[in-house]
Amino acid sequence: MINILIVEDEKNISDLIKINLTDAGYHCSCAFDGGQAAELIEHNSYDLILLDIMLPVINGYELLEYIKPRDIPVIFITAKAGVEERVKGLKLGADDYLGKPFEIIELLARVESVLRRNKKNDRYLEIADISIDTLSRIVTRGEDTITLTLKEYELLLLFVRSKNIALFREQIYEKIWGDDYMGDSRTVDLHVQRLRKKIGWEDKIIAVYKVGYRFVVNS
């Protein structure tokens, strides 16, 4: 799931942003001053930061200098919405700039655009009841982590990226093991059985007679 840090000292605005981003499927944390934000950034990983400029302790411009080496995209959200301030923020390295007051629909569009531009959405795959972090190779269901071997993980990615497509055993073997298929299906079948059991997808990864397997999921 995409992690977003909201740095906003006005709690009613922070709550409004958090509620709407959470409803849109993002995971949000909040900081109410620049010092608290710096502490959270030091100890956590974020995919996007929504940053006010006029903050207690450390202002948004100073905090942006702290954020930049970490390669986290930033959207300034601020009442300081004049041309001069926008130019300054963008020159300092902000990815976008949204003036207050703003419409939630515009905020959501800008968040999606910045994440797409920075390819942050490519890191996560969510399908059925499973979430996959392709950078850390962590697979979760809700709050629970599912432990997979390397081959089981690669097999899961293959099925997820080929949903509703029948895959021949030869294809599966060559993509996962990198060798020419020698006609022995036991290796493929054993790994598929283990994967289905671990993630509870016995009814989703189905055997296709004389072919191989297909991952069946509604779009």
Side-chain angles (χ1 to χ4, degrees):
M1 184 176 285
I2 297 292
N3 289 314
I4 298 177
L5 176 62
I6 303 163
V7 188
E8 168 60 63
D9 62 328
E10 294 186 47
K11 192 173 187 304
N12 59 333
I13 296 177
S14 177
D15 289 346
L16 177 66
I17 294 171
K18 182 176 181 179
I19 288 168
N20 283 276
L21 288 179
T22 301
D23 286 346
Y26 301 106
H27 180 270
C28 298
S29 303
C30 298
F32 299 99
D33 64 61
Q36 184 185 16
E39 183 72 17
L40 288 172
I41 294 164
E42 180 69 26
H43 295 99
N44 298 279
S45 176
Y46 296 105
D47 300 290
L48 176 66
I49 297 175
L50 306 181
L51 181 59
D52 193 8
I53 292 176
M54 300 172 68
L55 293 167
V57 186
I58 302 172
N59 69 43
Y61 292 136
E62 294 170 330
L63 192 59
L64 183 58
E65 292 293 330
Y66 178 76
I67 295 168
K68 278 199 315 186
R70 290 165 170 76
D71 196 29
I72 306 171
V74 171
I75 300 176
F76 269 136
I77 300 179
T78 177
K80 296 173 70 70
V83 173
E84 214 173 281
E85 286 81 10
R86 285 204 303 273
V87 170
K88 179 178 179 180
L90 293 171
K91 281 187 173 181
L92 285 172
D95 293 75
D96 205 345
Y97 200 109
L98 184 60
K100 298 176 185 176
F102 54 83
E103 297 290 336
I104 287 297
I105 191 169
E106 182 180 6
L107 170 64
L108 293 173
R110 288 176 182 263
V111 165
E112 183 180 339
S113 176
V114 169
L115 288 171
R116 186 170 56 248
R117 220 159 51 226
N118 285 273
K119 301 188 183 302
K120 295 292 183 177
N121 281 330
D122 293 349
R123 173 178 170 179
Y124 299 95
L125 298 172
E126 295 195 17
I127 193 161
D129 55 346
I130 296 295
S131 297
I132 306 169
D133 183 335
T134 60
L135 182 62
S136 61
R137 296 192 173 192
I138 293 175
V139 179
T140 56
R141 177 186 290 110
E143 299 296 320
D144 298 324
T145 299
I146 300 171
T147 302
L148 301 176
T149 66
L150 176 60
K151 294 302 182 187
E152 289 166 353
Y153 171 80
E154 292 175 346
L155 190 59
L156 173 61
L157 279 187
L158 176 61
F159 281 125
V160 167
R161 288 171 171 162
S162 310
K163 62 181 181 179
N164 298 320
I165 297 173
L167 298 174
F168 286 88
R169 284 184 174 84
E170 294 93 326
Q171 291 176 291
I172 296 171
Y173 188 88
E174 289 170 6
K175 285 182 178 294
I176 302 303
W177 281 269
D179 297 323
D180 291 336
Y181 184 66
M182 302 302 291
D184 185 354
S185 67
R186 287 178 297 178
T187 299
V188 172
D189 293 340
L190 180 61
H191 280 77
V192 170
Q193 289 168 18
R194 287 176 177 171
L195 176 64
R196 287 194 297 198
K197 185 175 181 180
K198 283 187 177 182
I199 62 178
W201 278 3
E202 289 89 346
D203 60 337
K204 291 183 172 62
I205 301 175
I206 63 171
V208 180
Y209 182 62
K210 291 188 177 180
V211 176
Y213 295 93
R214 181 171 67 238
F215 174 46
V216 179
V217 64
N218 295 325
S219 299

